[in-house]
Amino acid sequence: MATISSTAVVSKLARLEGAVTIGDDTVIHPSCKILAEGGPITIGTGCLIEELVVIRNTGAETMTIGNGNVFEVGAVCEATRVGDNNVFSARSEVGSAVAVSDRCVIGVTVKLHAQEELAPGTILWEDSKAVSVGRRVLPDRAGPGDFYVKQREALHKILPKFNEVQT
């Protein structure tokens, strides 16, 4: 059973299964899947979850996703823990052996399944031949930035005009 904040906007076409809690001002687009198949999933405040995103918890522990996170189209996240202000770029995949701290960027199509905890400010990208994943740590990186905040705010107003929302 999903618990959705009264200030969140969640499309009725999004699939929420199991013990899922959605925080204030979070926006969830149509065709998303948030699946608490094992333990519960808690999503924080001000997150933006775009179309075709899959967030899945198959473990027994609670999957906690912090505040201000952005999941772009087609991203898959099974991370044990996600901190604040991260970007999961389009078609990226983060497996269940991974913990993501704060202000990280998982680049487009990057697949991360080996056990590790990403340090704050980690940026991952695929090289042009998709042979390896580049990595850089910028500990003072500020996070997703104003673009995503403004996008979430606009969608918070627009999405309910064109989609039925869950309450």
Side-chain angles (χ1 to χ4, degrees):
M1 184 63 141
T3 304
I4 302 170
S5 164
S6 62
T7 61
V9 174
V10 180
S11 169
K12 274 203 173 178
L13 298 175
R15 192 168 119 206
L16 280 57
E17 291 184 4
V20 176
T21 302
I22 308 296
D24 293 340
D25 298 321
T26 289
V27 175
I28 300 179
H29 286 233
S31 302
C32 292
K33 295 178 185 174
I34 301 176
L35 311 171
E37 297 172 348
I41 297 174
T42 301
I43 298 176
T45 303
C47 293
L48 174 58
I49 302 174
E50 296 180 353
E51 293 90 344
L52 303 174
V53 166
V54 176
I55 296 173
R56 178 183 296 117
N57 184 10
T58 57
E61 300 295 319
T62 299
M63 173 195 276
T64 302
I65 296 175
N67 303 321
N69 291 295
V70 177
F71 295 85
E72 293 182 346
V73 176
V76 176
C77 179
E78 297 180 349
T80 55
R81 180 174 38 83
V82 175
D84 297 332
N85 301 310
N86 298 292
V87 177
F88 294 78
S89 299
R91 296 181 6 241
S92 61
E93 291 182 18
V94 176
S96 61
V98 180
V100 180
S101 59
D102 299 325
R103 303 176 318 279
C104 297
V105 176
I106 314 302
V108 175
T109 70
V110 167
K111 292 172 180 36
L112 192 60
H113 293 281
Q115 183 170 0
E116 73 174 300
E117 180 167 345
L118 297 180
T122 298
I123 300 172
L124 302 171
W125 69 91
E126 279 193 349
D127 71 9
S128 60
K129 296 180 177 117
V131 175
S132 64
V133 172
R135 179 180 299 249
R136 186 172 189 185
V137 177
L138 302 173
D140 297 327
R141 187 179 171 284
D146 285 345
F147 170 78
Y148 289 110
V149 172
K150 290 178 182 176
Q151 181 183 15
R152 181 185 47 79
E153 289 170 352
L155 288 166
H156 196 277
K157 294 174 188 171
I158 294 169
L159 198 64
K161 291 180 181 179
F162 300 99
N163 293 272
E164 288 186 66
V165 294
Q166 299 183 38
T167 54

